[in-house]
Amino acid sequence: MPSKLQLDLPILLPDVPDLRDACVESLVSRIRASPGVEEVHVLEPAEGRSARLCIHHDPDTLPLPRIRKIAESAGASLTDHYGHLLIEVEGIRHQRHAQGLTAEILNLPGVIEAEATLSGPVRIEFDREMASEDAILAGLSRLGIEPRSSEAAAARSSPGNGPHGHGLAGKQELAFSVIGATLLAAGGLAGALDLGPPWAPQICFVAAYLFGGYYTFREVASSLGSGQFQIDFLMVLAAGGAAILGAWAEGALLLVLFSLGHALEHFAMHRAQDAISALASIVPDRARIVMEGKQVDVPVVELQVGQQVAVAPGERIPADGFIRTGSSELDQSSVTGESIPAEKCAVANPESARGSRESIESCHRVFAGTINGSGALVVEVLEEAENSTVARMIQLVSEGETQKSPTQKFAESFERIFVPAVLALVVILLFAWVVIDESLAESFYRAMAVLVAASPCALAISTPSAVLCAVARAGQRGVLIKGGRPLEELGQVSAIAFDKTGTLTEGRPRLTDVLPVGGATRMELIVAALALERLSGHPLARAIVRDGSLEVSGEEEEVAQDLQSREGLGLEGRIGSDPVAIGCSRMFQGADGSGLPEE
């Protein structure tokens, strides 16, 4: 029977930025090729652990120490030979620019793999024997791409930072598109209604060309400089052909629509980035470290594992960790989706919890960004800010934006074939007068007409914008979509199976049953519960008061006295001379181990 060995992937490949890196595939392939290895696959990160490599092997052929040594040796050789960069950059204007930039980076000496995306970082893998990190950065600089400043990068990816603006470039392009559209409309009205001098419509159309095509002309100049023929180039040729045919309005319309598509793509990208920033903003900016009996205010990004932070009632938890002292109820809906606040209490043995994170029960563990209830807590940090649950969620959303859907990949592949094919067809049609009985002018007119008609404006602007908008909108509503492929597959789903954790609720608890025991009546039980719960702000208390009050008249109401709150457990008080308690089952656990009566 095969044995399984799980090894931490970040230890084998410490410099690999994410699981999509080619070194991960190379490591899997190398280990899989070893005799005695039956299967190798990667286990994605989960709560409390990093990504792992799971190796199924025959212990008789390949004993455990040997398979471990093979994995470590393969990882070491890959890490020594290949370098990895994951850089937040500025200067990527739109998806087609990102595609062109990817091709240009791949042409840099030593680069093996590269991926530049509109909304994510640039990911590069290079051969250390052929290039260095400084050489790669210098090559990016020559391409007009600069690393984003540390402040800007933090605003995008670090928890505790709010949403940012929509980007000056996108706003400028939108303004140019609107001006171009206005000039186009003015020219059309002037011509149709015979307003102004005869040359007024022509002036408006030429101006619409300049404003609507400014960014497209600039992009074409850049792509031609690197030897690429993209749809932008075809659009410019089509607009030029329309002008040659005297169809200035049609050419201006092409450029304005294309420019507007670019501007909307910018808007969609920044909406997606704002969704990420909004997710990050649920974590507070600062935390209070408990040091030698004093509380010191520090930025959350500076928190270290093992430090203790104080959390007052109503505050957000600043870091993933476990409770050392105190108990409370926590609103974890932003992270776990639980509709009801979860009861939390301190661990019995902090040293044991620190030494074995995976053994910490959920009732002791807290997550960054969740909201504390009525109790004061002291939390020991288990994860730094960049490794928190919220940070991993942000990473998932970011990767989801950069992963392309099948339709998007098809559109890009089609574009690489379509543009040269249209150009070749136009060139052939220019020489139609050689084989058929028509003039050169007629052949030229037909070629230009085909060029204008073949311009795929919708193909160029629709798919990337649609994917970005969908992922961003879902993120704003609390749904994490890991890329374009899952998004498209979701459209084909006819049934969904959910688990029974209660996450598909409205988040508004209500009183459903009242079951008196021990001789008490239903009304006596409701009256006693209302007397105590009216003095509590717990969500379940509010539900009991709201629904229970419908059954109790004013004459039957009681008032509780000597109210005491037992944090994380319930309430105790007195109605008249009778003691009354309401809470969870743990509240009634006696010192002798006895709990609630069986009835």
Side-chain angles (χ1 to χ4, degrees), residues 509-511 538-548:
R510 59 189 179 90
L511 181 61
H538 193 281
L540 296 183
R542 292 195 295 268
I544 292 173
V545 172
R546 183 189 65 240
D547 298 340

Side-chain angles (χ1 to χ4, degrees), residues 556-577:
E556 297 171 320
E557 292 183 359
E558 296 281 0
V559 178
Q561 298 175 337
D562 299 335
L563 188 72
Q564 294 183 350
S565 174
R566 296 183 60 184
E567 293 182 356
L569 298 176
L571 297 171
E572 292 179 334
R574 182 171 51 82
I575 300 178
S577 60

Side-chain angles (χ1 to χ4, degrees), residues 3 16 24 34 42 56 71 83 109 156 165 189 226 236 266 296 351-352 372 410 412 429 460 471 480 504 549-550:
S3 297
V16 171
V24 178
S34 302
V42 176
H56 301 243
R156 167 174 166 82
L189 288 174
S226 58
V236 169
H266 267 287
V296 181
E351 296 296 330
S352 176
N372 185 22
F410 170 77
E412 293 176 4
L429 291 175
V471 173
L480 305 184
L504 298 181
S549 297
L550 299 178

